Amino acid sequence: MRGLRLGLRRGWITWRAVNTTREGLFQTIVWNLAPLIVLILLRDETIDAVGVSLTASMLPGMMAILVVFGVMGIAYYLANEREDGTLLRAKATPGGMRAYVVGLVVVAALDVAAGLVIVAVPGMFLLSGVAVASVALWLGLLGYLALGLLACLSVGLLIGSVVANPRTIAGVGMLATTGLAVVSGLFFPVQVLWGWVQVLVQLFPMYWLGLGLRSVFLPAEAAALEVGGTWRTLEGLLVLGGWAAVGLLLGPVLLRRMARRESGSKVEARRAEALQRA
Amino acid sequence: MGVGMEVVSESVASAVRTRAAVRTRGLRMSYGEQEVLRGLDLEIGHGEVVALLGPNGAGKSTTIEILEGFRTSSGGDVEVLGVDPVRGDEDWRADLGIVLQSWRDHAKWRVAELLGHLGEYYAPYSEPGRPRPVAVAELLDQVGLREQARHRVGALSGGQRRRLDVAIGLIGRPRLLFLDEPTAGLDPHARQEFHELLHRLADVDGVTILITTHDLAEAEKLADRILILDGGVIVAAGSAAALSREVAGRTEVRWCADGERSVHAAEDDAAVVAFVRGLLTAPGPAVTELEVRRSSLEDTYLAMVRHREGEPVSEPSTQRLREAPSSRSEGER
């Protein structure tokens, strides 16, 4: 309970500290304004076959991407904070590791929330064909976002604890995430891709998060555009739930393993390495 | 000198009575083939300020990391505050303060914010007569960072950052404080300020302090007792004064007679006096430039360091950049 409270506080202070620096704030706003502008520019297009506005069908995809990138941020924070000694500090403080993990999740959640507030909420009101007055829509939205966040968290933790170098994560990790986002059917149906790609993307949470969000936003007829012509709600919940469970079970183990190897000279050695690179 | 000895024997006695704060027996550590610690025995009493002194690569950092519970030794017994660090739980950890060489975490947080937050973790360990955490304002005054309370941590100078690290080490009112090379990379002025800070701490709180350094002058200035670590074992231990007598027993007599320079080494004071008397009263050319010089602890230590530096450094990459100015680390992010 205490760890939870300290972690919430820690996450909030960290997020606030980053977003009150000029670069931090700039990044948060610019990264999120870009998709909003795309939505606004495309607001009058429709998909003729099912009579759904194009932007309404893109909005869920953008939300899914926000969640995924927010959580990739976890991997980045983790690798970075291992290098600068934050993780070791947490280890040196009684109850510090638990609060640290909670704090990481909170920071990721706040990053995602900021993105949603900047992109999705204005998007929902700006665009035609979104039933903003529907309670079911908001409940479904929050439910899928929370579940998606937990599911993607697993992937973020996994990457962050295995890949030690924050620059690798910023480069390769972001590239891989973007690649996965492109083929995950967020902006065009996966059916146009090869069969093995379709199978592959359905192993990851991103596809199912996008599908789930579309099922919330779009009219029932739009399901015709999906694989099998249905929303496959149950399968989606199972996959997302499965990933979330993996994260909750495996995350602490991975982090503990990673933290156990931390010591002053490890941090010092990485610092020396970083200095040589600079 | 006499006073120094009394302090030492007193604290040794109290350590025996109440069980030492730190005790190792036959502590060993090897990285692959390399043996860094070869049976280290040390004992630190409660309230003592002890410096672990040794050249780079002597195994100081390895020792302190084992004591902190961040490394598992290859063999031997370790007890820190009555617990084997490997099995130390969060309650045990709450009694330790740890100041590392190169922390540069939480760069974007503000100074008082960070101290306040880290202090909260210790609140459950508060007890009557020992309130925890220490009040942030009090601590900031103590380390001289009151003006910087609202500054971002990343904007502090190297010396200020190090003092913040000490403040963090103290926020939980620890019984035992570890300082690993706390003045490496500081300029002489910052180093001086840091020494004064440590003096105040040791006086006020009665906290047990273990400090590692490769600087003899620093060890002499700060510690009640110095342990000299070399080749993975403690080669000498005692107060600076006692060490001077023990390690540096040799005295040299240098003089010039008839344009010819001579040196004579004597083992003890009586021999020196007898020799000099003989020299001056003996018939022959007049003695000029007479000099009697006791080889200092410094001479001995420097000889040790020189012998060490001829060998490959046996600790992992740790030691390489020890002298790099810490303020630079912020620049590369």
Side-chain angles (χ1 to χ4, degrees), chain A residues 44-59:
Chain A
D44 292 329
E45 307 277 321
T46 55
I47 304 175
D48 294 330
V50 285
V52 177
S53 87
L54 175 65
T55 42
S57 75
M58 278 175 74
L59 192 57

Side-chain angles (χ1 to χ4, degrees), chain A residues 129-145:
Chain A
V130 179
V132 283
S134 154
V135 176
L137 172 86
W138 286 95
L139 282 181
L141 180 63
L142 288 178
Y144 269 112
L145 286 176

Side-chain angles (χ1 to χ4, degrees), chain B residues 119-140:
Chain B
E120 285 186 60
Y121 294 80
Y122 296 90
Y125 301 97
S126 201
E127 49 197 66
R130 191 158 171 252
R132 302 164 84 174
V134 180
V136 171
E138 183 188 319
L139 205 50
L140 284 176

Side-chain angles (χ1 to χ4, degrees), chain B residues 86-273:
Chain B
V86 175
R87 274 183 275 282
D89 57 6
E90 304 291 273
D91 294 359
W92 171 76
R93 194 152 283 296
D95 277 337
L96 303 185
I98 294 176
V99 180
L100 295 187
Q101 304 176 32
S102 65
W103 259 337
R104 57 205 170 104
D105 57 307
H106 295 97
K108 297 197 169 88
W109 289 43
R110 296 182 192 282
V111 169
E113 191 174 61
L114 179 58
L115 275 176
H117 176 71
L118 289 174
E120 285 186 60
Y121 294 80
Y122 296 90
Y125 301 97
S126 201
E127 49 197 66
R130 191 158 171 252
R132 302 164 84 174
V134 180
V136 171
E138 183 188 319
L139 205 50
L140 284 176
D141 277 345
Q142 209 174 356
V143 300
L145 286 177
R146 186 216 287 253
E147 308 271 300
Q148 283 77 25
R150 302 268 316 139
H151 291 200
R152 285 189 198 264
V153 172
L156 298 178
S157 72
Q160 289 170 341
R161 169 77 227 211
R162 214 59 65 85
R163 281 184 276 146
L164 172 63
D165 284 336
V166 175
I168 292 171
L170 291 170
I171 188 78
R173 213 181 284 281
R175 294 182 200 281
L176 177 57
L177 182 67
F178 293 111
L179 295 145
D180 195 5
E181 303 263 352
T183 59
L186 294 189
D187 63 45
H189 176 67
R191 183 181 290 238
Q192 178 69 34
E193 279 183 350
F194 195 87
H195 289 167
E196 284 164 13
L197 167 64
L198 278 192
H199 271 303
R200 287 199 298 275
L201 291 182
D203 289 349
V204 177
D205 273 359
V207 56
T208 307
I209 299 179
L210 177 62
I211 179 168
T212 69
T213 177
H214 55 242
D215 181 354
L216 172 69
E218 180 164 286
E220 279 185 300
K221 202 178 284 180
L222 295 178
D224 303 335
R225 202 152 60 91
I226 299 173
L227 309 173
I228 301 182
L229 186 63
D230 189 36
V233 289
I234 304 274
V235 292
S239 68
L243 277 178
S244 296
R245 280 195 300 275
E246 180 191 326
V247 178
R250 248 163 56 106
T251 302
E252 283 177 352
V253 182
R254 295 160 182 271
W255 73 97
C256 190
D258 205 14
E260 200 173 309
R261 298 184 176 278
S262 308
V263 181
H264 174 86
E267 287 304 321
D268 59 63
D269 291 357
V272 172
V273 172

